[in-house]
């Protein structure tokens, strides 16, 4: 069923071009993220990150709402984005502050123990953060498909992951593989398109290559190379974002059917009440 969700996502993207909206917006924002700091407008970097944070729940709600209702149009995309915006944003803020609190609570004893202990505990800190993200990753799909409140979305995400642990691991693996493949293809295309500009690197010694900074590479490829890099970066983000959101919606819908159906009870009049 996990791999079947991949086929479902690919079919939806092929049949309904409106699902690519999320990729196009994320690709545009990614290009701005890449280009603006290069041209010395770093002052806009933080507002741009904030814009991405605020836009992401709308995009997710739009895609998930269309997949849930099986109605694919720009009108439905915008309506779903508005309807589920705060259902997605608020749990995301709770998770974010939970991560910050976890880092803070772990940082205190590490600071008291000294730099050596802090370096040794870094893998533990990383593991804790990954665990939080791993179990809460489906909070947004729960919020849309189950229309739950803030804390219920997080709780059910954890429950969903625990009940489908093997499938979720495959889900993550599929996304990693897709991202790596897209990245490798983009890197190959980047090298081919900028072969002449990158030729001086061939004649550099290992010591010289080790001292190269990102700014040196940018100076080497020039303005044309920067925009080629930005374009390829945008293509990767467009393709991966559209796939990720659609695949996530298909995966959750396929695996959550009936999962929460029994979480409730009938009263004496036969009416169903969901917990």
């Amino acid at each position: 069923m996990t791999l079947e969700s991949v086929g479902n996502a690919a079919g939806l993207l092929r049949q309904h071009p409106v699902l690519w909206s999320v990729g196009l917006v994320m690709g545009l924002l990614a290009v701005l993220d890449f280009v603006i700091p290069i041209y010395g407008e770093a002052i806009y970097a933080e507002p741009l990150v904030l814009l991405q944070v605020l836009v992401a729940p709308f995009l997710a709600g739009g895609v998930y709402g269309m997949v849930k209702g099986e109605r694919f149009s720009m009108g439905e995309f915008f309506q779903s984005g508005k309807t589920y915006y705060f259902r997605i944003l608020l749990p995301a803020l709770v998770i974010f502050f939970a991560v910050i609190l976890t880092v803070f609570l772990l940082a205190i004893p590490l600071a008291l123990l000294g730099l050596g202990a802090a370096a040794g505990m870094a893998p533990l800190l990383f593991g804790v953060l990954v665990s939080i993200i791993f179990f809460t990753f489906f909070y947004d799909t729960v919020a849309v498909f189950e229309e739950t409140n803030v804390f219920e979305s997080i709780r059910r995400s954890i429950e969903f992951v625990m009940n489908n642990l093997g499938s979720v691991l495959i889900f993550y693996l599929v996304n990693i593989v897709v991202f790596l493949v897209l990245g490798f293809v983009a890197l190959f295309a980047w090298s081919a398109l900028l072969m002449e500009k990158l030729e001086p690197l061939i004649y550099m010694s290992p010591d010289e290559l080790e001292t190269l900074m990102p700014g040196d590479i940018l100076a080497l490829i020039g303005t044309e190379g920067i925009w080629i890099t930005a374009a390829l970066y945008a293509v990767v983000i467009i393709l991966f974002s559209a796939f990720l959101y659609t695949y996530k919606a298909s995966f959750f819908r396929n695996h959550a059917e009936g999962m929460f159906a029994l979480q409730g009870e009938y009263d004496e009049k036969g009416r169903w009440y969901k917990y």
Side-chain angles (χ1 to χ4, degrees), residues 63-273:
V63 172
Y64 300 156
M66 288 191 294
V67 175
K68 175 187 176 183
E70 297 184 349
R71 295 186 297 270
F72 301 91
S73 67
M74 287 304 298
E76 183 65 24
F77 175 78
F78 282 105
Q79 182 59 42
S80 297
K82 291 187 294 183
T83 300
Y84 298 111
Y85 182 79
F86 287 103
R87 285 185 182 272
I88 295 175
L89 177 63
L90 295 179
L93 293 177
V94 171
I95 294 170
F96 172 76
F97 286 114
V99 169
I100 296 299
L101 180 61
T102 301
V103 172
F104 177 74
L105 293 177
L106 289 176
I108 293 175
L110 293 179
L112 295 175
L113 291 173
L115 294 177
M121 295 292 285
L124 174 61
L125 178 61
F126 178 76
V128 171
L129 298 181
V130 169
S131 297
I132 294 175
I133 296 172
F134 181 87
F135 285 102
T136 61
F137 188 68
F138 291 91
Y139 77 91
D140 51 355
T141 46
V142 172
V144 173
F145 283 87
E146 298 295 324
E147 299 191 3
T148 49
N149 59 32
V150 175
F151 294 101
E152 186 69 3
S153 297
I154 298 172
R155 186 191 71 80
R156 291 201 179 188
S157 174
I158 297 171
E159 183 180 356
F160 174 78
V161 172
M162 294 180 66
N163 289 343
N164 299 276
L165 190 57
S167 298
V168 170
L169 287 172
I170 297 175
F171 168 83
Y172 284 120
L173 180 61
V174 168
N175 281 291
I176 292 171
V177 170
V178 170
F179 184 76
L180 290 177
V181 169
L182 290 174
F184 177 79
V185 173
L187 182 60
F188 178 81
W190 182 78
S191 301
L193 292 171
L194 300 176
M195 185 179 299
E196 292 184 2
K197 295 181 180 294
L198 296 173
E199 187 176 356
L201 296 177
I202 301 175
Y203 304 103
M204 290 185 179
S205 66
D207 292 336
E208 289 175 322
L209 291 174
E210 288 180 3
T211 59
L212 279 177
M213 301 295 291
D216 299 324
I217 300 294
L218 294 176
L220 191 64
I221 63 178
T223 302
E224 180 185 359
I226 289 173
W227 284 105
I228 289 175
T229 304
L232 291 173
Y233 180 48
V235 170
V236 171
I237 298 300
I238 289 170
L239 294 175
F240 182 70
S241 297
F243 172 78
L244 173 62
Y245 280 84
T246 309
Y247 178 37
K248 189 176 179 182
S250 299
F251 177 86
F252 182 83
R253 182 177 61 179
N254 290 343
H255 287 77
E257 288 180 355
M259 176 181 167
F260 306 119
L262 299 179
Q263 295 194 7
E265 62 181 8
Y266 290 98
D267 65 6
E268 65 278 0
K269 296 183 179 180
R271 293 173 296 188
W272 174 259
Y273 288 92

